[in-house]
Amino acid sequence: MMKNEKNKLFGAVFTVGVTIFCITCTESVRKGVSDALGRCVNVLIPSLYAMMIAASLITKTGILSCCPKWMKRFGSAVFGMSGTVYPIFLISSAAGYPVGAKLLAAESGSGRLSKRQASVYAGVCFGAGPAFISGCIASQLYGSREVGRLIFASCTAANVLLALLVSVKTRCRGETEYTRGNFGFSAEKLVESVNDGGRAMLGICAMTAAFSVFAQLLSKLGVIGFISEKFPVIRREYLLAILDVTAVGEFPRGDYSMIPVICGLVSFGGICVMLQICSLTAGKLEMPVILGMRIAAAALGGIICKMMMSLFGDRFCVTASAVRVCSEHSALPSVMLILMTLILLRECSAMRRKK
C-alpha cells in the first residue's frame, strides 16, 4: 500500500510539473517538439517504417515457423536458442530497435516462449540497424561509410558475445519444442501489416516528441547541467543521447575520439527506445531484464569499438578538415509517406466498420 501511495504521489507531481512547464515554457516545448519531428522525418521514418511493416508481416504470415532445420540446429548448438528465436536474432541486427522485441512479444503471446525467456532474448535481439547508423551518425557526423560499418560491426559483436554469455542460462532451462508451421500470405495480411506498421510508427514518433519535451524540462530545471558539472566525464551530449539516441546526430562533427562512446550509446538504445518497446509489447516483456542487458551491451560495444579502432585506426583517424558532411535529404518523401499512412488507416477503419 505504501509503495502504491508513493507511485500515486510521484505521478501527480510529475503530471502537474509537466503541465506547468508546457504552459509557462512554450518556447522550450516548441523547440523540443520541432527538433523531435525533424529527427522523425529525416531519420526514424526512413530507417524504421519499412521494417515495422515487415515485422508485422513476418508475424501474420508465420514464416518464422518455416525456417530450415539446419538454421534452428545452428542457433540451438551455438546460442542455445530454440524454435524461431535464432531467425529473430538475425533479423533484429539489421531491422531497427523495436523490431526484435515486437517479434519476441508475439512469440510470448502465442505461448511458444515464456515471458522471462522472451525478455532475456529481447536483450540480445536488439540493434539500431545500418540504415539508422548510416543516416543519423556516419553520414551526418563523419561523412564516412567506414565509420558506419565500424559502429554496426561493434554493436553486432556485442550482441553476439552477450548472446553467448546468456546461453549458459537459457540452455539450463531446456529448449521449447516447436513444430513446423504453415506459411500463409494474402493481400489482406499485407494491408493489415501496413496498417499495423503505420500505427506503430506513429506511436514511436509520438513517444520521441514527448521525450524531447521531457529532455527540455530536465535542461530547464538544471538537472542535465548539474550532472555534467559534477561529473565532467559525462558531457551534456551524452546525457541527451542516453534519454533519446537520435540526439547522437547533434554531436560535434568530425570528432573521432567520440566513436567508442557513440557505439556504446547506440548499443544501449536510450530510455526513449525502452519506453517505445514497452508500449509496443504491451506488458509481454520484462523491461528491467532488457534494460540491464542493454547496459551490459553498451559497455561491451564501446570496448569492442575501441579495440577495433586500435587495430584499424588508420582507416578512421583522419583530420576533421577532411570530413565532408553529407547534406540532409528532403523531408518531402517522409511527409508524403505519413499522409498516405493516415489515409490507409482511415480506409482500413472504414472497411472494419462495414464488415
Side-chain angles (χ1 to χ4, degrees):
M1 289 294 293
M2 195 69 178
K3 185 177 180 181
N4 191 30
E5 291 298 324
K6 288 182 179 179
N7 290 338
K8 288 182 179 180
L9 179 61
F10 173 78
V13 172
F14 179 79
T15 303
V16 172
V18 170
T19 303
I20 293 174
F21 174 71
C22 292
I23 293 173
T24 58
C25 303
T26 55
E27 184 60 27
S28 297
V29 173
R30 184 202 65 79
K31 184 179 184 305
V33 175
S34 177
D35 293 345
L37 290 179
R39 293 195 294 268
C40 288
V41 169
N42 293 309
V43 178
L44 290 180
I45 294 175
S47 62
L48 274 181
Y49 183 72
M51 283 310 307
M52 293 305 295
I53 296 174
S56 180
L57 193 61
I58 287 170
T59 303
K60 291 182 182 299
T61 58
I63 192 172
L64 289 178
S65 63
C66 302
C67 291
K69 290 183 179 180
W70 66 265
M71 183 178 290
K72 295 180 181 180
R73 289 171 181 168
F74 181 84
S76 177
V78 178
F79 299 103
M81 296 177 177
S82 59
T84 58
V85 178
Y86 182 63
I88 293 175
F89 178 65
L90 296 178
I91 293 170
S92 62
S93 299
Y97 289 120
V99 175
K102 184 177 175 65
L103 293 172
L104 287 167
E107 293 294 302
S108 175
S110 64
R112 289 188 283 267
L113 289 175
S114 68
K115 186 175 182 179
R116 175 52 64 92
Q117 285 177 319
S119 301
V120 171
Y121 287 136
V124 294
C125 298
F126 189 100
F132 174 79
I133 293 173
S134 176
C136 183
I137 302 169
S139 296
Q140 290 194 42
L141 301 184
Y142 302 101
S144 169
R145 293 182 179 179
E146 297 293 334
V147 173
R149 292 168 183 165
L150 170 67
I151 295 174
F152 178 72
S154 300
C155 293
T156 303
N159 285 339
V160 171
L161 183 58
L162 191 63
L164 290 172
L165 292 174
V166 301
S167 67
V168 177
K169 188 174 182 180
T170 55
R171 287 177 201 275
C172 294
R173 296 185 176 188
E175 296 185 3
T176 304
E177 292 296 328
Y178 187 72
T179 56
R180 189 178 180 86
N182 295 320
F183 171 74
F185 178 82
S186 65
E188 184 177 2
K189 289 182 179 179
L190 178 60
V191 173
E192 289 177 355
S193 298
V194 175
N195 188 12
D196 292 344
R199 186 182 293 106
M201 199 68 241
L202 289 174
I204 289 172
C205 291
M207 182 65 73
T208 301
F211 224 77
S212 183
V213 174
F214 180 63
Q216 290 290 328
L217 172 61
L218 293 179
S219 298
K220 202 73 174 178
L221 293 175
V223 175
I224 293 178
F226 175 78
I227 296 175
S228 60
E229 287 178 5
K230 289 293 183 181
F231 306 96
V233 178
I234 306 176
R235 297 166 59 169
R236 182 178 182 275
E237 295 90 342
Y238 300 165
L239 293 173
L240 293 175
I242 289 172
L243 292 174
D244 183 1
V245 72
T246 58
V248 171
E250 305 299 324
F251 277 26
R253 288 172 167 79
D255 188 350
Y256 282 75
S257 64
M258 297 180 70
I259 293 180
V261 177
I262 291 174
C263 184
L265 291 169
V266 171
S267 187
F268 173 61
I271 303 299
C272 184
V273 170
M274 296 298 167
L275 291 178
Q276 291 170 9
I277 291 174
C278 185
S279 175
L280 287 174
T281 57
K284 293 185 177 69
L285 300 178
E286 298 177 5
M287 294 309 299
V289 175
I290 301 175
L291 181 62
M293 294 187 67
R294 291 325 301 172
I295 293 174
L300 288 173
I303 293 171
I304 292 171
C305 182
K306 187 72 174 178
M307 293 173 60
M308 292 180 69
M309 288 188 69
S310 64
L311 292 174
F312 308 104
D314 295 339
R315 298 183 63 181
F316 308 109
C317 298
V318 299
T319 59
S321 59
V323 176
R324 178 179 62 84
V325 180
C326 298
S327 60
E328 293 184 355
H329 298 289
S330 171
L332 183 61
S334 294
V335 173
M336 296 301 295
L337 186 60
I338 294 172
L339 293 175
M340 287 188 290
T341 300
L342 292 174
I343 293 172
L344 181 60
L345 289 172
R346 184 171 177 271
E347 292 297 324
C348 288
S349 179
M351 288 173 61
R352 286 197 179 98
R353 284 197 297 269
K354 288 180 181 180
K355 288 183 179 180

